[in-house]
Amino acid sequence: MASIYRHVPIDALMRLIPDGPAWDRKDGWEQFACMTNATANPSDQVGGLRKCSSNIILSTVRIQMRPSQASQVQLDRPSQIVCEYLTEQARNLFGLHPFAAEMSKRQVASLLPEYLAMSQAFPYLQAGSQKDLIFDAMRRNRDLPRDVELTSVVANFICWDETGGYGRVLRGGKTALPDILATEDFHSNLLRKDASRLLGRTIQPNYSATTKRYLHSLYAGLSAKDPVVRCAYMVAFELHAAEMIQSLWTTLVKTFDAQSDDLEYFRTHVGGVDPAEKYHGEMTTRLIREVVPADGNRRFLDEFDRAYRLSLQWCRDLLQTVSIEEDGLAEIEHHGGCHCGAVKFYVRAPRELSAVRCNCSICQMSGFLHLLVSGDKLRIECGEEFLNTYQFNKNIARHTFCRICGVKPFYRPRSNPTGFSVNIRCLDKRTIENITIEEFDGEHWEEAFRPTREDWEATS
């Protein structure tokens, strides 16, 4: 924590308070207090910052100046914000990172595929984030502004590091350049190996709706035309990543009783005497001096706050999604589609599915294996315009099928016309841990369904 106690200029501290500073005047001293919920011990003051009993920094600075001088401090002088200070402010404001919470092994097993999806996608999103800016310069036949050069060079290095290139060259010099084709050194693939070691099986990335929304929003910030927004999103992502990776590393070691040094992805980023994530943070924060104009500090801090909250909320949403209830029926997103891929959807259901196999005429012919869910559990991602409906007999059930390939991935069943029956055979098997199948005598539907209806009425 010693590095936190660096000198931070008073004007930089003042600019971190969107609504302006709060001043207390006492004995000719001006006391500047930043937002915090901690309690400070006045005797523990180092380098202008007071250390709290809770080991959180209370950003309180006391400077000797006359009251008239206080109003002369300029809020919009060149930015001197450092990554340690921004990180500490985030800790003060948001508390412990969500991934620092205790997790069960099953929660981790649900979380890591989502985390892997982010780790896999990020370097590609960062690498492509300047694309529209370049095409805009080409279209207008204009030179590239310096802010594009700056955000591009930092983005390119981060991608080079995330895909293992920098580490290889650092260890082996130029002669190691041909080895960059060994993609097992991609940081996302290091994460795969760590996950396999912990879970005893390989994992695949899970691009759930939650993670896709996050990545789309992140890319929008990283690729913004406004250089202040681009800078803020780059800084916020890297500083949040350091907190997130450290918190998850600690939690995994505790949950699996693992040796911390055995987890290469985490050790590479935030472990050892010279962790990579430190340089990512310092590199991106240097952009502030270069990119943020003298009158843009408040706007930068607003965008930084928005970007940091975005990443933090993704982590919170993931934990909420993978939380294991006492009954063991926590739901995840299972993705599926028709045979040709024109229709794609996802359904929220447990990892262990309870299926129904029916012997009625249409189920026998189609081989439909039923997963019954309420209407709010299924979302069509694309291809709704390709769905046709077939009805017969009582004309209550609405059998929807793809008009291109003829496959029926889901439909509105007669037993629950406001809900859905999903064909488990159309779901991605990678998110299914187990299937328990119950037989239903659909050939004699009325007789077979009567006990089920009576059970529902008794419990409703």
Side-chain angles (χ1 to χ4, degrees):
M1 297 293 288
S3 62
I4 300 299
Y5 300 112
R6 292 185 181 179
H7 174 69
V8 182
I10 184 66
D11 63 313
L13 288 173
M14 290 175 69
R15 283 195 300 273
L16 286 169
I17 305 301
D19 297 324
W23 292 90
D24 287 330
R25 296 182 173 85
K26 186 177 181 182
D27 302 328
W29 289 82
E30 301 293 341
Q31 179 169 289
F32 176 86
C34 290
M35 184 187 307
T36 182
N37 292 324
T39 353
N41 180 352
S43 62
D44 280 337
Q45 182 165 326
V46 187
L49 298 180
R50 288 185 181 176
K51 188 174 182 181
C52 305
S53 57
S54 60
N55 207 30
I56 296 176
I57 309 308
L58 175 64
S59 303
T60 302
V61 177
R62 301 182 72 235
I63 57 174
Q64 191 169 21
M65 61 166 63
R66 292 184 300 277
S68 59
Q69 291 177 305
S71 61
Q72 297 172 6
V73 179
Q74 299 298 314
L75 296 181
D76 296 321
R77 291 168 60 186
S79 176
Q80 301 176 57
I81 304 166
V82 293
C83 62
E84 291 93 339
Y85 188 78
L86 287 172
T87 298
E88 201 60 38
Q89 288 304 304
R91 288 173 183 162
N92 288 344
L93 187 59
F94 301 116
L96 285 176
H97 192 275
F99 286 175
E102 185 176 344
M103 297 186 207
S104 68
K105 291 182 180 180
R106 190 165 182 173
Q107 281 179 300
V108 171
S110 297
L111 176 69
L112 287 180
E114 302 273 2
Y115 188 96
L116 175 60
M118 179 279 299
S119 178
Q120 182 183 69
F122 169 69
Y124 298 99
L125 297 178
Q126 182 70 91
S129 61
Q130 318 292 303
K131 171 180 67 69
D132 290 340
L133 302 172
I134 307 303
F135 280 117
D136 184 64
M138 292 166 55
R139 197 164 42 245
R140 297 168 180 267
N141 194 23
R142 292 181 178 178
D143 196 2
L144 282 175
R146 187 163 184 269
D147 62 76
V148 175
E149 295 178 333
L150 290 168
T151 54
S152 292
V153 71
V154 174
N156 291 341
F157 176 78
I158 290 172
C159 299
W160 173 239
D161 187 38
E162 286 291 322
T163 51
Y166 177 65
R168 281 195 175 273
V169 172
L170 198 63
R171 293 189 300 269
K174 293 180 181 178
T175 58
L177 278 172
D179 295 334
I180 65 172
L181 298 180
T183 59
E184 62 266 18
D185 276 356
F186 280 23
H187 288 183
S188 59
N189 289 332
L190 296 181
L191 178 63
R192 286 181 199 263
K193 288 193 288 187
D194 288 348
S196 297
R197 180 179 289 110
L198 294 172
L199 302 176
R201 59 179 173 84
T202 58
I203 66 169
Q204 297 293 326
N206 182 26
Y207 287 97
S208 68
T210 298
T211 295
K212 284 190 288 188
R213 279 194 303 270
Y214 166 62
L215 292 174
H216 278 294
S217 298
L218 176 63
Y219 180 77
L222 295 174
S223 61
K225 287 187 177 181
D226 186 338
V228 174
V229 177
R230 287 202 311 278
C231 177
Y233 271 74
M234 293 175 77
V235 173
F237 180 87
E238 293 301 332
L239 296 188
H240 172 265
E243 293 289 295
M244 174 181 65
I245 295 169
Q246 181 65 64
S247 298
L248 185 57
W249 190 18
T250 303
T251 297
L252 292 178
V253 168
K254 182 178 179 182
T255 300
F256 291 87
D257 194 22
Q259 295 295 318
S260 58
D261 286 344
D262 289 343
L263 303 180
E264 189 175 2
Y265 168 86
F266 298 92
R267 188 182 71 247
T268 298
H269 281 85
V270 294
V273 294
D274 200 28
E277 207 60 39
K278 177 182 71 173
Y279 295 103
H280 288 200
E282 290 183 2
M283 189 184 308
T284 51
T285 50
R286 287 190 185 186
L287 283 175
I288 300 170
R289 290 200 304 267
E290 302 287 343
V291 172
V292 179
D295 61 352
N297 291 312
R298 288 188 185 277
R299 192 158 60 87
F300 167 80
L301 289 166
D302 286 343
E303 294 296 340
F304 173 87
D305 179 75
R306 185 175 293 110
Y308 199 98
R309 288 175 187 270
L310 172 70
S311 293
L312 198 66
Q313 190 59 48
W314 172 68
C315 297
R316 288 172 176 160
D317 289 344
L318 288 187
L319 282 186
Q320 185 175 3
T321 300
V322 306
S323 289
I324 302 299
E325 305 294 341
E326 288 184 0
D327 58 9
L329 295 178
E331 294 177 345
I332 64 167
E333 291 175 0
H334 298 275
H335 291 260
C338 64
H339 188 268
C340 69
V343 179
K344 293 181 179 178
F345 67 96
Y346 69 86
V347 61
R348 293 199 59 80
R351 287 184 175 275
E352 298 186 3
L353 302 180
S354 297
V356 175
R357 183 161 47 208
C358 176
N359 64 352
C360 76
S361 58
I362 193 168
C363 290
Q364 286 271 52
M365 291 183 179
S366 64
F368 202 98
L369 189 58
H370 300 258
L371 170 66
L372 299 169
V373 298
S374 58
D376 61 339
K377 300 295 184 182
L378 185 140
R379 289 289 182 272
I380 300 173
E381 296 186 283
C382 67
E384 189 169 6
E385 68 274 18
F386 294 111
L387 291 173
N388 281 357
T389 301
Y390 169 66
Q391 292 183 287
F392 68 99
N393 197 4
K394 301 286 187 180
N395 289 327
I396 298 175
R398 286 171 286 166
H399 299 270
T400 47
F401 62 93
C402 173
R403 61 181 171 85
I404 298 175
C405 63
V407 166
K408 182 175 72 172
F410 54 83
Y411 77 105
R412 300 279 192 177
R414 178 183 175 187
S415 60
N416 183 21
T418 61
F420 288 98
S421 181
V422 178
N423 190 352
I424 291 179
R425 302 185 198 279
C426 292
L427 296 178
D428 188 337
K429 295 180 177 63
R430 293 176 296 182
T431 54
I432 301 174
E433 287 189 359
N434 187 49
I435 302 174
T436 303
I437 300 177
E438 179 183 348
E439 303 294 339
F440 179 77
D441 186 10
E443 193 174 1
H444 306 92
W445 196 93
E446 293 290 350
E447 293 82 357
F449 185 64
R450 187 178 297 117
T452 305
R453 180 187 292 135
E454 291 172 353
D455 288 342
W456 286 353
E457 291 173 352
T459 56
S460 62

